[in-house]
C-alpha cells in the first residue's frame, strides 16, 4: 500500500473529531483496504463553479466535517482578499441548508468559520429551498452565500453551493480563486470558540429580517396575480403536488396561499422531508417512474395536473392528463414548459402596457423554439452556456442595459420566472404555472393544447438529448479531435449542410464576423455546436461532474410532426454512427429505463 495514502489516513485521524468518519478510516486501515483508502485519500475534492458535490463519508474526496470546514475557510479568506474587509464582514454571509443527512451540521460548521473570521452570519434556522438563499443575499445586501444541498442526487450525496454578492452562483475566475484559498488554508481552526461570538454575529434571516415574507410579497407582486380574473363559468383547477421527500411542501403551501389558490392535493407519502427518500431512490422528477405515485394520486383524486419540485425545490416538473377517449399522462419536457412560460410571460407583459424592452434567455443546449417566439414578436432572445450561473449573470447585465428579463430557463426543468431571484426557482415557477393553467382552463384549453397552438404558429420543434459513458479521456479527446479535423470542420452530416460552427473549447465561432466566440471559452472542457441549414442544431459536450459525453440534437420546421421527427432521427443516427462511433470507442449508452 502507498505510504503516502497511509500517512494521509493517519493524519486524518489526528484531526477528525467525528466518530462516524473516524470509525470508517480506522476500519479501512485495520483491513489494509488499499483500493478504498486510495479513493478517499489519493486526491482532494475539486472546488468549481458548482462548488462541491460528492458522496458523504471520510476522506479528502468526500463531503464531511473536515472538507466542509476547509472549504469554508478558503471561501471566507477569498472574500476578505477581494473585498473591503470591514464592509464584507459587516454585510455578512447567508447560509441555508436542506433536509439531508449532515446538512445542518455542515451549515453550522460554515457559520462558525465565518464568525471566527469576524463576519456577520445570517443562518436559517429551518430547512429552506435553494432560491431563498439567493433572494436573501439580495434583500440583506450580503457579501455572498452558501447553500448546503446536492439538489436531486441520491441520499448518499451532499453539496456546497456558493453564491457571489450579486446573488448568482460563482463563475470564473472566482472558482479558481476560492480553490486556491482553500488549499492555502487547510489547517483547521478551533471552532469551539465560535459560540462566544454568536450573540453579536449570528442572526436568523427569518426571525430577525422576515426574509420569507418579503420573498413571497415580491413574488406575488411580480407575478401580477391581479391579471388573473376568475371566470364565473369555470371552477378552480385541482393540482397534485409532490416534493420528492424534499423541502418544498411547506414553502409551496405558503406560495399558493399568497395567490389565494386552494386546489392543491399533496402526495401524502412524498411531501414530508425525508433524507432516506423511501419511494424515489433517485429523487429527480425527470427520471422515469419518479412521478408514478403522483400519477396514481391524480387518477384517484380526479386531477388532470401534476407539479413536482426536486428535493431542494429549485426546479419544477409538470405533467398533465391528455384529453380524449383514451387519456394518459403526458410528462412535459423542460423545453415545453420553458416555451409555455415564454408565451405566458410575454402575454402578461403586453397586457400590462409596460413599454420597457424585454428579453428571454435560455441555455445553449435548450430549445430554439423560444427564439422563434422572440423573432416573431420582436423582443430580445439570448442564449448562454449551461447553468444558471451564466443565465443569472447575463440577466443582471441585461437589466443594467434597460431590459426587463421575463424568463430564463434550461431544458433540465430549471426556470427563473421574472427576476425576484437570479437563480432557478421551483417555488415562483409553480405559482406561474398555476396561474397559467387556470387562465387556460378559463379559455377551455389545457397546457398541452396551448403548446400545440404555439407549434402551429412557430413550427414543430423536436429534440433528442442523451449521453454515452466514456471512462477513457484519450478516447474523448480523439472523438473531438476527429470532429475538429485540425480546424477544417466538416461541411455536412449526411445530407444536412452545416450553416455555422461554434467551438467553445478553442474559441472559434463561424457565425461571428471575426470568427471569435462571444460566449465564455474554456479550453479545459469540450463543447461544440453545429447549426444546420435545415433548422437543426447539434451540441456535443463533456460533463463537468461525470464521465459522460452528452449530445443535444434539435430539429424544427413548418413541416408535419412526422417529417420533423424523421429529420431528427436521420440526423441523430448519422451523427452518432459517423462521429461518435460507439462500438469502436467503447461508449456505453445509458441503461434503458
Amino acid at each position: 500500500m502507498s505510504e503516502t495514502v497511509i500517512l494521509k489516513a493517519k493524519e486524518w485521524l489526528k484531526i477528525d473529531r467525528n466518530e462516524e468518519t473516524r470509525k470508517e478510516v480506522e476500519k479501512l486501515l485495520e483491513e489494509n483496504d488499499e483500493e478504498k483508502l486510495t479513493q478517499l485519500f489519493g486526491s482532494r475534492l475539486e472546488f468549481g463553479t458548482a462548488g462541491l458535490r460528492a458522496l458523504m463519508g471520510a476522506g479528502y474526496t468526500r463531503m464531511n466535517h473536515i472538507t466542509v470546514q476547509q472549504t469554508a475557510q478558503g471561501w471566507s479568506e477569498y472574500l476578505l482578499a477581494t473585498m473591503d474587509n470591514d464592509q464584507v464582514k459587516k454585510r455578512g454571509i447567508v447560509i441555508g441548508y436542506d433536509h439531508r443527512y449532515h446538512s445542518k451540521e455542515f451549515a453550522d460548521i460554515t457559520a462558525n468559520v465565518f464568525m471566527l473570521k469576524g463576519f456577520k452570519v445570517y443562518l436559517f434556522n429551518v430547512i429552506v429551498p435553494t432560491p431563498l438563499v439567493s433572494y436573501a443575499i439580495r434583500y440583506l445586501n450580503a457579501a455572498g452565500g452558501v447553500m448546503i444541498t446536492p439538489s436531486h442526487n441520491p441520499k448518499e450525496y451532499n453539496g456546497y453551493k456558493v453564491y457571489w454578492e450579486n446573488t448568482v452562483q460563482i463563475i470564473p475566475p472566482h472558482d479558481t480563486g476560492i480553490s486556491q484559498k482553500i488549499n492555502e488554508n487547510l489547517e483547521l481552526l478551533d471552532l469551539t470558540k465560535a459560540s462566544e461570538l454568536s450573540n453579536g454575529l449570528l442572526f436568523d434571516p427569518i426571525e430577525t429580517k422576515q426574509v420569507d415574507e418579503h420573498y413571497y410579497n415580491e413574488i406575488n407582486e411580480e407575478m401580477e396575480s391581479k391579471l388573473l380574473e376568475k371566470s364565473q363559468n369555470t371552477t378552480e383547477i385541482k393540482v397534485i403536488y409532490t416534493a420528492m421527500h424534499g423541502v418544498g411542501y411547506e414553502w409551496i403551501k405558503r406560495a399558493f396561499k399568497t395567490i389565494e389558490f386552494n386546489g392543491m392535493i399533496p402526495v401524502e407519502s412524498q411531501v414530508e422531508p425525508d433524507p432516506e427518500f423511501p419511494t424515489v431512490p433517485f429523487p429527480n422528477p425527470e427520471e422515469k417512474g419518479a412521478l408514478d405515485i403522483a400519477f396514481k394520486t391524480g387518477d384517484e383524486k380526479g386531477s388532470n395536473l401534476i407539479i413536482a419540485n426536486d428535493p431542494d425545490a429549485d426546479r419544477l416538473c409538470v405533467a398533465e392528463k391528455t384529453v380524449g377517449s383514451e387519456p394518459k399522462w403526458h410528462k412535459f419536457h423542460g423545453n415545453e414548459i420553458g416555451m409555455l412560460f415564454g408565451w405566458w410571460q410575454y402575454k402578461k407583459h403586453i397586457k400590462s402596457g409596460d413599454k420597457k424592452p424585454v428579453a428571454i434567455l435560455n441555455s445553449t443546449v435548450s430549445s430554439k423554439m423560444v427564439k422563434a417566439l422572440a423573432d416573431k414578436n420582436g423582443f430580445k432572445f439570448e442564449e448562454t452556456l449551461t447553468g444558471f450561473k451564466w443565465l443569472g449573470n447575463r440577466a443582471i447585465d441585461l437589466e443594467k442595459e434597460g431590459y426587463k428579463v421575463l424568463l430564463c430557463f434550461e431544458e433540465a426543468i430549471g426556470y427563473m420566472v421574472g427576476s425576484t431571484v437570479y437563480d432557478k426557482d421551483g417555488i415562483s415557477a409553480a405559482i406561474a404555472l398555476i396561474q397559467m393553467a387556470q387562465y387556460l382552463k378559463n379559455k377551455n384549453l389545457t397546457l398541452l393544447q396551448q403548446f400545440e397552438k404555439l407549434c402551429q404558429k412557430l413550427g414543430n420543434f423536436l429534440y433528442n438529448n442523451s449521453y454515452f459513458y466514456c471512462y477513457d479521456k484519450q478516447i474523448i479527446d480523439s472523438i473531438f479531435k476527429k470532429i475538429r479535423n485540425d480546424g477544417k470542420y466538416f461541411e455536412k452530416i449526411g445530407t444536412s449542410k452545416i450553416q455555422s460552427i461554434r467551438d467553445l473549447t478553442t474559441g472559434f465561432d463561424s457565425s461571428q464576423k471575426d470568427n471569435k466566440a462571444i460566449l465564455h471559452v474554456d479550453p479545459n472542457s469540450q463543447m461544440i455546436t453545429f447549426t444546420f441549414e435545415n433548422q437543426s442544431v447539434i451540441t456535443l459536450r463533456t460533463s463537468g461532474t461525470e464521465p459522460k459525453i452528452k449530445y443535444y440534437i434539435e430539429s424544427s420546421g413548418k413541416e408535419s410532426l412526422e417529417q420533423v421527427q424523421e429529420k431528427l432521427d436521420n440526423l441523430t443516427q448519422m451523427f452518432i454512427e459517423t462521429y461518435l462511433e460507439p462500438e469502436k470507442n467503447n461508449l456505453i449508452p445509458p441503461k434503458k429505463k
Side-chain angles (χ1 to χ4, degrees):
M1 187 187 300
S2 167
E3 291 294 328
T4 303
V5 169
I6 294 175
L7 182 62
K8 286 184 177 180
K10 290 182 176 179
E11 287 177 348
W12 174 277
L13 290 176
K14 292 179 182 178
I15 60 174
D16 190 6
R17 298 292 176 263
N18 182 271
E19 185 177 350
E20 183 180 345
T21 48
R22 281 184 62 83
K23 285 182 177 179
E24 183 181 349
V25 176
E26 288 169 347
K27 183 180 179 184
L28 291 172
L29 285 170
E30 285 177 16
E31 296 174 349
N32 216 23
D33 192 333
E34 181 177 1
E35 182 180 353
K36 186 68 174 179
L37 285 168
T38 301
Q39 285 179 10
L40 301 183
F41 295 99
S43 59
R44 287 192 63 86
L45 270 180
E46 290 188 14
F47 184 93
T49 54
L52 300 176
R53 189 178 298 188
L55 289 163
M56 290 180 281
Y60 294 117
T61 60
R62 299 290 189 262
M63 290 282 294
N64 51 63
H65 288 205
I66 290 175
T67 54
V68 166
Q69 182 173 338
Q70 290 172 333
T71 300
Q73 290 175 180
W75 173 214
S76 61
E77 285 297 325
Y78 183 75
L79 285 173
L80 291 170
T82 53
M83 298 183 187
D84 178 89
N85 283 10
D86 290 337
Q87 284 297 313
V88 74
K89 291 178 181 179
K90 185 178 179 181
R91 291 171 64 190
I93 187 167
V94 176
I95 303 171
Y97 54 92
D98 67 9
H99 67 304
R100 302 262 183 163
Y101 291 119
H102 305 299
S103 287
K104 177 65 164 65
E105 298 163 38
F106 295 162
D108 287 339
I109 289 169
T110 301
N112 288 336
V113 167
F114 273 86
M115 283 192 291
L116 284 175
K117 299 283 185 177
F119 283 76
K120 183 185 291 185
V121 173
Y122 294 101
L123 172 65
F124 285 98
N125 281 339
V126 295
I127 56 176
V128 296
T130 292
L132 204 68
V133 170
S134 175
Y135 174 80
I137 295 169
R138 176 171 68 81
Y139 182 76
L140 299 169
N141 190 32
V146 171
M147 178 66 190
I148 308 295
T149 182
S151 190
H152 53 271
N153 278 66
K155 67 179 183 179
E156 297 85 4
Y157 284 76
N158 217 319
Y160 197 96
K161 293 184 178 181
V162 172
Y163 290 80
W164 194 239
E165 64 175 340
N166 67 351
T167 79
V168 185
Q169 288 188 60
I170 57 168
I171 57 174
H174 298 310
D175 56 334
T176 53
I178 295 169
S179 181
Q180 181 179 339
K181 286 296 181 182
I182 292 171
N183 291 326
E184 292 173 359
N185 293 272
L186 296 177
E187 184 176 344
L188 299 181
L189 298 172
D190 181 2
L191 300 185
T192 60
K193 299 177 181 179
S195 60
E196 302 170 8
L197 304 170
S198 60
N199 285 339
L201 293 176
L202 185 62
F203 304 91
D204 176 4
I206 291 178
E207 182 181 331
T208 62
K209 299 292 183 179
Q210 295 77 50
V211 162
D212 54 338
E213 292 182 17
H214 292 289
Y215 167 75
Y216 286 116
N217 290 340
E218 284 197 39
I219 288 176
N220 195 33
E221 182 179 346
E222 185 168 52
M223 293 297 173
E224 299 174 356
S225 57
K226 61 181 180 294
L227 295 179
L228 294 175
E229 299 167 1
K230 290 186 178 180
S231 169
Q232 295 180 353
N233 301 320
T234 57
T235 57
E236 186 174 59
I237 59 172
K238 290 195 294 185
V239 60
I240 304 300
Y241 173 76
T242 174
M244 294 279 150
H245 301 294
V247 305
Y249 181 47
E250 292 300 324
W251 297 88
I252 281 287
K253 281 200 298 185
R254 287 183 64 183
F256 288 164
K257 187 177 179 180
T258 66
I259 60 170
E260 300 178 355
F261 174 67
N262 302 305
M264 180 180 70
I265 302 170
V267 178
E268 296 291 350
S269 63
Q270 293 182 329
V271 291
E272 294 302 324
D274 188 339
E276 280 295 315
F277 299 100
T279 67
V280 277
F282 196 86
N284 180 355
E286 291 179 287
E287 291 291 313
K288 186 175 182 179
L291 295 183
D292 284 354
I293 298 177
F295 291 152
K296 183 180 178 182
T297 305
D299 291 337
E300 293 173 350
K301 301 295 184 178
S303 171
N304 295 327
L305 183 63
I306 291 170
I307 61 173
N309 285 133
D310 65 343
D312 66 324
D314 66 347
R315 301 191 306 151
L316 183 76
C317 186
V318 183
E320 184 181 60
K321 189 173 282 188
T322 58
V323 177
S325 57
E326 298 182 3
K328 60 182 180 179
W329 287 104
H330 171 78
K331 184 162 75 171
F332 286 93
H333 191 282
N335 281 327
E336 294 172 331
I337 294 299
M339 183 61 210
L340 285 167
F341 276 147
W343 161 78
W344 176 243
Q345 286 292 93
Y346 184 67
K347 177 181 180 62
K348 289 204 303 177
H349 172 74
I350 294 300
K351 188 171 182 179
S352 73
D354 188 352
K355 301 301 181 183
K356 197 171 188 178
V358 297
I360 290 180
L361 291 74
N362 70 7
S363 63
T364 187
V365 298
S366 299
S367 175
K368 304 300 181 285
M369 188 174 184
V370 74
K371 181 181 184 301
L373 180 72
D375 291 344
K376 184 176 181 65
N377 291 281
F379 64 84
K380 188 176 186 65
F381 165 81
E382 281 194 19
E383 61 180 16
T384 73
L385 293 180
T386 53
F388 268 81
K389 56 183 176 285
W390 299 107
L391 288 164
N393 273 290
R394 185 56 187 148
I396 290 172
D397 290 342
L398 286 172
E399 287 187 348
K400 290 177 181 177
E401 295 173 19
Y403 287 92
K404 179 179 181 180
V405 178
L406 300 177
L407 172 72
C408 298
F409 79 91
E410 57 185 6
E411 50 84 32
I413 62 173
Y415 312 101
M416 177 186 125
V417 184
S419 55
T420 298
V421 176
Y422 293 104
D423 198 4
K424 54 183 179 287
D425 183 351
I427 306 297
S428 60
I431 293 176
L433 194 284
I434 293 300
Q435 292 178 336
M436 176 169 57
Q438 184 67 61
Y439 171 86
L440 289 171
K441 183 175 182 181
N442 295 349
K443 303 289 184 181
N444 295 315
L445 289 169
T446 65
L447 293 169
L448 187 58
Q449 287 170 339
Q450 176 58 34
F451 182 77
E452 290 169 347
K453 285 181 65 176
L454 292 169
C455 290
Q456 292 170 8
K457 292 180 180 179
L458 303 172
N460 291 303
F461 288 72
L462 300 176
Y463 15 82
N464 185 355
N465 302 342
S466 192
Y467 57 86
F468 287 100
Y469 288 102
C470 183
Y471 297 91
D472 189 331
K473 186 177 183 302
Q474 289 185 334
I475 290 178
I476 293 175
D477 291 343
S478 69
I479 290 172
F480 281 89
K481 184 177 180 180
K482 177 181 178 179
I483 291 173
R484 290 191 178 98
N485 192 28
D486 293 324
K488 299 176 183 177
Y489 299 87
F490 47 87
E491 297 180 352
K492 62 181 181 178
I493 295 180
T495 58
S496 301
K497 292 184 178 179
I498 293 173
Q499 186 178 72
S500 64
I501 299 170
R502 181 180 62 205
D503 189 336
L504 294 179
T505 305
T506 66
F508 174 77
D509 188 345
S510 65
S511 70
Q512 302 299 318
K513 290 182 180 180
D514 58 2
N515 287 337
K516 293 182 179 179
I518 296 174
L519 298 182
H520 178 75
V521 175
D522 185 356
N524 297 314
S525 65
Q526 302 277 12
M527 185 171 186
I528 303 178
T529 298
F530 306 95
T531 301
F532 296 84
E533 292 181 358
N534 67 354
Q535 293 180 275
S536 297
V537 180
I538 295 177
T539 293
L540 186 71
R541 72 180 184 98
T542 49
S543 169
T545 56
E546 299 171 291
K548 291 178 179 179
I549 301 176
K550 296 184 174 184
Y551 61 85
Y552 307 80
I553 307 177
E554 180 175 52
S555 291
S556 62
K558 290 293 183 71
E559 310 100 288
S560 69
L561 198 64
E562 292 74 22
Q563 288 174 311
V564 175
Q565 185 68 60
E566 183 180 2
K567 180 166 59 173
L568 174 66
D569 292 342
N570 291 339
L571 184 60
T572 300
Q573 181 180 355
M574 186 63 66
F575 178 72
I576 291 174
E577 290 179 355
T578 306
Y579 296 101
L580 297 185
E581 301 177 280
E583 291 187 10
K584 174 186 173 183
N585 291 315
N586 296 315
L587 303 183
I588 304 170
K591 292 180 180 179
K592 291 184 178 181
K593 300 171 182 176

